[in-house]
Amino acid sequence: GSEMCIRDRVKTFDQALNYGKSMHQADLLKAQARCYETLGKKEDAIRSYEKLISVFPNSEHSRFAQTKKADLK
């Protein structure tokens, strides 16, 4: 079902993120975090947002992630 599809997406995001920092990494991390949220995996979502904050500090992506992370706590 759709949960399996979301789990497959998370795996794909993990693989893509292993290729290193790119301009798409922020979008991948945001999408991964949203998938974790959909699956009810709050801690995993928070970790994805924390990585986004650390890789892209002082950016619009970081501000977005900080807001989302605060909403999850």
Side-chain angles (χ1 to χ4, degrees):
S2 63
E3 186 173 317
M4 191 61 157
C5 180
I6 293 169
R7 287 174 199 252
D8 288 344
R9 276 192 208 147
V10 169
K11 283 183 199 170
T12 302
F13 295 146
D14 280 337
Q15 291 167 352
L17 289 166
N18 285 331
Y19 287 112
K21 188 174 178 180
S22 77
M23 57 189 255
H24 300 292
Q25 189 175 16
D27 293 327
L28 290 169
L29 285 165
K30 281 198 262 186
Q32 182 182 55
R34 285 193 300 267
C35 285
Y36 282 134
E37 287 181 61
T38 301
L39 292 170
K41 296 183 172 212
K42 247 172 49 167
E43 294 303 316
D44 290 326
I46 289 169
R47 273 193 291 278
S48 292
Y49 287 129
E50 286 173 344
K51 183 167 183 178
L52 180 58
I53 292 163
S54 70
V55 175
F56 297 95
N58 304 314
S59 70
E60 182 181 321
H61 299 298
S62 177
R63 287 186 289 280
F64 170 84
Q66 287 170 355
T67 301
K68 292 295 286 181
K69 184 180 152 189
D71 290 345
L72 290 170
K73 289 194 171 189

